[in-house]
Amino acid sequence: MSTAMISAREAEVLTLLGEHLSNAEIAARLFISVRTVESHVSSLLRKLHLPDRRALSRQAAASARQQSPAAVLPSPLTTFVGRARERAELAEAVRKHRQVTAAGPGGVGKTRLALAVAADLADDFPDGVWFVDLVPVTDPGRVGAAVAAAVGAGDQPGRDIDDAVLAALAEHRALLVLDNCEQVRDGVAPFLERLLTACPRLYVLATSRARLMVPFERVFPVPPLSRDGGDESDAVALFMDRAAAVGWPPGPTVSEGVVAICERLDGMALAIELAAARWSTLGLDGLTAGLSDQLRTLSGGARADDRHRSVRAVLDWSHDLLEPQDRALLRRVSVFVTPFTADAAAEIAAFTPLDASAVFDGLGRLAEQNLLSVTPSETGTRYQARETIRQYGTERLTDAGERTVVRSRHAQWCLAAAEALSGSGDADWRVRFDAVADDVRAALAWAADRPERREDACRLARLLAGLAFTRNLLGEAQQRYEQAARLAGDAAGASALREAAAVAGCRRIGDDMYRLHRAAAEAARRAGEDVRAGCDLAAAATVAYRFSTSFTRIPSVDEVRALVARARELVGDAPDGLAAVALAEAAVTTDAFGALQADADNTVSETIEYAERAVDLAVRTGDAVAQSAALDALSGARGWTGDAFAVAAAARRRTEVLALLPPTPAGAHELTDALAMAAATALGTGDLPQARRWGGQLAGHPLLAEAGHHATSWSLVADAFAGRADDVLTRGVRFRDAWEHSGRPRSLSLGAAAASVAMVHGLRGDHEARVAWLGVVDRADTAVQHRHGYGAVFDTMVLLHHGDVEAALERVAPEPEKVWKWVCWIWLHWYVALRAETAVLAGHPDARARIDAARAVVTGNPLATAQVDRAEALLEDDLPRRLATAQAFDAAGCPYQAARTLLLAGGEHTAAGGTALAALGLGPR
């Protein structure tokens, strides 16, 4: 594929097209507008001379398959010098051992060696090479999150970020480079043990000042640069290279003096580079004198390792050569853990003896002395100190008595940066967040340990939680809300816990939702807010039943009923409390949601009564989230009656209520659930175009950007009913991959989606593929759902397609009343229409009765009505009426049934029906 004229952004769009993502999904993944995606797609079609989007996707996918993943490694700004032996030995160690630690003191050159070796080994790891810098990680529990960011593994519903990494890398033959492990060694060791156990083809190269102390570790000591060979040694070669870079390459007459300098520096790479940076201004005499004095001064000190002394010696020497203002600047900017701008440095460092102009000038001088590196970025020029220099600067900060004031200024800068990002809808929001996130995390870690900074820490935690949620880092968002709750007082803590519960809902972790609502109730009680505590207990009870499939341990019925009773006592006559308790009673007492732990023999009329009361009370509160939840209960209650239109109406009202709600965690959780229910219930009433629209909105929601299985489930079913075989099979691959990476969760929607793909394979006559997908169904949902619910519908359609009428008749033999629990919600109209058709085609004596019974149920459903009309036309041998149903199917957005109608008409219409099926991808294989 020619990419000569393709921009970087177009290349990103092209890659995602190869994954068969929709425009909305691409927009969510890249954080750009759908209109911008459309513009890029049009440009790509023009540049690549392709006729349509499908051709573009096919070519992009084919190109991706042909290319091995590139090594995702930083590009050093200077050349790698020497170490031929160590480079080869370390590469061989990585090939033979799954976890190798390149260990050595700071400044010895571990990172550069690891990068060089990783680049050398790229061809040995066809699934990718990734680099993870752990310097910004201050919390050992966030090692997995740093790895996830590097490998592109997002939060997966129902699991934490570590599990998402394990799933993403499970089958990869890849190399992971973990740099600077020493500061979070307690987090690295257990994470690597889980990672290497779960990913048998993954290899890890770590760098650390100390070994990780795990039994599966192979330690490779990184020695200083060799000084053997005098002026031909690696150490001298590095000095010469770096000295030449500053504009004055040393000549042969000084080689003996350079050898002596490298010997004094014990071959430590960082020390040599810092000394070489001074060559152009000090020359051999100045360097020799400065180093001699410094080393003599330090020679009496007790050091654990002479190599540490040589690095500290050069750092001390380099520091002492700086002007006093530049010394202050170096120690003050050491507080930044990630690259920073000049403006940010001024915010932190511009106080006596520095002003802003001195900061700007000083940054340049520090960069000239190799004490800071300079890198361009999307948000402007940025500076960064290498970790060893940053740690040295931090020590100097403490020695100067400035640590508290600089840390405090850094925390205030982080607060201001986080507040500026909150609510910002700028196009570069994602880039701006990523640029400051690690500094915000570091500031939070520092402030959280200081009682006098508790208020700032709490603000930072809540801001970071909201930003992480917007960035789709759901695991961190929940963690930060819980951290904010621990830092806050009881009332504010209860609020943060409610937010955490909502994020847990977005993650589909029912156990956490339940725990956090109960914790919020306890905090509210301590704060004297009894009504809020009652609402929280009612919410916990509702969650236990409404989202029972997302629990690993479902709370006992008695436990939940006790929560409802206690909530009722606490809320009194408060409107909000009454609404919350009414919803809990609809959920727990009458099972409006069809919970796993509930009694199947609920009274339908009583369920509707409870649900309608919950809706009425929720409307009075004016709370859109509460109204949506109550409408969900009403939708479920109506489902027990078999009234598909009432079910769909309640689901549709939810989307209308939530339409203008800001994207809070609670609102986002409710909206994604509402969109899924709207799509599903539109299917139940035969409105395929609307089901596809709702499904498209669901798939395009940023919350589901990393959850392709949940995002595409109902749109897959809608397209399968319509007969769009190519689309279903293409997106089915992404569905299955996302489902497997998410840990193969179970739910009705996932089972139905997998069954719909199996149906399409069945219609195409691919028995082997159908059996494989039915295996997915078995793992994605309960057997009874498939046997009596959607499985009966999909299986019958396949059997009728291939003319196996007797088997189809048997598949839908049970009366609807016998399987009502599994067909009444979405599948009832499809089930009774298929029963009527199979009876006619099989010559069953009850065919007329089944037609009449079906018509009484499906009136108002365009697809099911057309199917019943076709069955009656077949029974009465009325060809014109039979053909008329083909037009009805087309008008209802179901070309598959329109084509099948032509086949059933027979005669001259058979060829046209076959052609129509072939166009859908359902012709003979």
Side-chain angles (χ1 to χ4, degrees), residues 541-810:
T542 300
V543 161
Y545 274 63
R546 186 183 179 194
F547 301 110
S548 60
T549 58
S550 67
F551 279 74
T552 56
R553 186 198 71 81
I554 299 175
S556 71
V557 173
D558 289 342
E559 177 182 318
V560 176
R561 288 183 181 274
L563 292 183
V564 177
R566 180 59 177 149
R568 195 181 299 114
E569 294 174 4
L570 289 171
V571 301
D573 296 328
D576 289 357
L578 290 173
V581 170
L583 179 60
E585 289 174 337
V588 177
T589 305
T590 63
D591 188 29
F593 297 108
L596 295 178
Q597 68 269 41
D599 185 352
D601 297 327
N602 57 320
T603 304
V604 171
S605 60
E606 186 181 27
T607 305
I608 294 174
E609 179 183 339
Y610 271 71
E612 287 180 336
R613 180 171 181 268
V615 171
D616 180 59
L617 290 170
V619 168
R620 296 181 192 179
T621 68
D623 183 339
V625 171
Q627 291 178 56
S628 174
L631 285 167
D632 193 28
L634 181 60
S635 181
R638 290 290 185 189
W640 298 135
T641 70
D643 187 346
F645 299 105
V647 172
R652 187 169 58 251
R653 279 182 62 192
R654 292 181 66 195
T655 65
E656 295 167 355
V657 165
L658 296 168
L660 299 178
L661 200 66
T664 62
H669 178 216
E670 201 64 41
L671 180 58
T672 54
D673 185 73
L675 289 171
M677 294 304 100
T681 55
L683 283 170
T685 58
D687 192 347
L688 290 189
Q690 186 61 60
R692 296 186 75 227
R693 283 191 287 271
W694 291 129
Q697 287 188 38
L698 180 68
H701 197 288
L703 194 64
L704 300 181
E706 302 294 339
H709 48 315
H710 288 293
T712 61
S713 56
W714 290 116
S715 60
L716 276 174
V717 178
D719 282 345
F721 275 133
R724 296 182 174 87
D726 289 344
D727 287 345
V728 170
L729 298 185
T730 297
R731 287 186 291 115
V733 173
R734 181 183 177 232
F735 168 89
R736 183 174 58 193
D737 288 346
W739 172 72
E740 289 177 343
H741 288 165
S742 190
R744 299 180 175 181
R746 283 179 177 267
S747 79
L748 182 150
S749 64
L750 299 178
S756 72
V757 181
M759 180 186 77
V760 169
H761 280 297
L763 296 178
R764 287 164 54 88
D766 190 340
H767 178 72
E768 184 177 346
R770 180 169 183 256
V771 169
W773 273 93
L774 289 176
V776 175
V777 177
D778 289 341
R779 297 189 296 276
D781 198 7
T782 60
V784 69
Q785 292 277 11
H786 183 254
R787 177 62 192 164
H788 298 300
Y790 54 80
V793 171
F794 293 146
D795 289 352
T796 301
M797 290 177 67
V798 172
L799 293 167
L800 289 178
H801 182 85
H802 294 292
D804 194 347
V805 176
E806 292 301 325
L809 185 69
E810 178 63 25

Side-chain angles (χ1 to χ4, degrees), residues 169-443:
L169 299 179
E171 303 301 326
H172 284 54
R173 177 169 174 77
L175 175 64
L176 188 65
V177 182
L178 294 181
D179 195 33
N180 294 297
C181 294
E182 61 276 350
Q183 63 179 4
V184 284
R185 189 170 60 171
D186 291 345
V188 172
F191 174 77
L192 283 186
E193 185 167 5
R194 289 186 62 202
L195 183 68
L196 293 171
T197 301
C199 307
R201 303 175 67 213
L202 183 72
Y203 286 66
V204 174
L205 171 58
T207 75
S208 178
R209 298 189 181 193
R211 60 169 296 185
L212 302 181
M213 303 297 290
V214 290
F216 49 83
E217 175 184 35
R218 179 79 172 194
V219 178
F220 182 90
V222 179
L225 285 166
S226 170
R227 282 93 68 206
D228 295 341
D231 58 8
E232 298 295 323
S233 68
D234 286 350
V236 171
L238 178 65
F239 185 98
M240 294 295 193
D241 181 85
R242 300 303 190 255
V246 298
W248 188 9
T253 59
V254 298
S255 63
E256 185 176 336
V258 172
V259 170
I261 288 172
C262 292
E263 190 65 44
R264 285 177 174 172
L265 298 179
D266 292 320
M268 296 295 283
L270 175 60
I272 291 171
E273 289 188 336
L274 291 172
R278 291 283 184 175
W279 174 262
S280 63
T281 56
L282 296 179
L284 179 61
D285 293 345
L287 283 175
T288 301
L291 290 175
S292 295
D293 290 345
Q294 194 64 265
L295 289 174
R296 185 167 58 251
T297 300
L298 293 174
S299 61
R303 303 291 298 169
D305 190 326
D306 284 344
R307 292 173 298 177
H308 282 133
R309 184 183 68 184
S310 66
V311 174
R312 178 172 292 279
V314 175
L315 287 172
D316 283 338
W317 168 70
S318 295
H319 176 267
D320 291 345
L321 288 174
L322 297 174
E323 294 296 326
Q325 287 191 331
D326 291 349
R327 295 178 197 172
L329 178 58
L330 180 63
R331 65 178 179 260
R332 291 173 186 178
V333 298
S334 68
V335 74
F336 289 104
V337 295
T338 54
F340 56 90
T341 65
D343 287 338
E347 290 281 341
I348 306 304
F351 63 95
T352 305
L354 299 175
D355 58 19
S357 61
V359 169
F360 298 147
D361 291 342
L363 290 173
R365 287 191 294 274
L366 292 177
E368 290 169 1
Q369 304 306 324
N370 211 27
L371 293 167
L372 293 179
S373 61
V374 184
T375 57
S377 75
E378 294 183 51
T379 55
T381 301
R382 289 182 173 269
Y383 301 84
Q384 185 175 27
R386 278 182 284 189
E387 178 61 9
T388 301
I389 295 173
R390 196 176 74 81
Q391 292 181 5
Y392 177 85
T394 301
E395 291 179 8
R396 286 289 185 167
L397 195 64
T398 302
D399 293 342
E402 293 180 347
R403 183 165 187 170
T404 298
V405 66
V406 172
R407 283 285 186 185
S408 298
R409 291 171 72 95
H410 179 252
Q412 291 302 312
W413 176 81
C414 288
L415 272 169
E419 288 171 345
L421 282 169
S422 297
S424 171
D426 296 346
D428 64 345
W429 185 92
R430 178 181 182 179
V431 173
R432 290 167 56 210
F433 171 81
D434 290 347
V436 302
D438 283 325
D439 272 294
V440 174
R441 293 173 181 127

Side-chain angles (χ1 to χ4, degrees), residues 805-838:
V805 176
E806 292 301 325
L809 185 69
E810 178 63 25
R811 192 68 179 87
V812 288
E815 296 285 341
E817 294 79 9
K818 300 293 185 182
V819 291
W820 69 276
K821 184 172 184 178
W822 298 281
V823 302
C824 63
W825 180 44
I826 296 173
W827 317 109
L828 179 61
H829 289 193
W830 298 93
Y831 188 84
V832 297
L834 283 167
R835 288 189 86 243
E837 183 170 311
T838 55

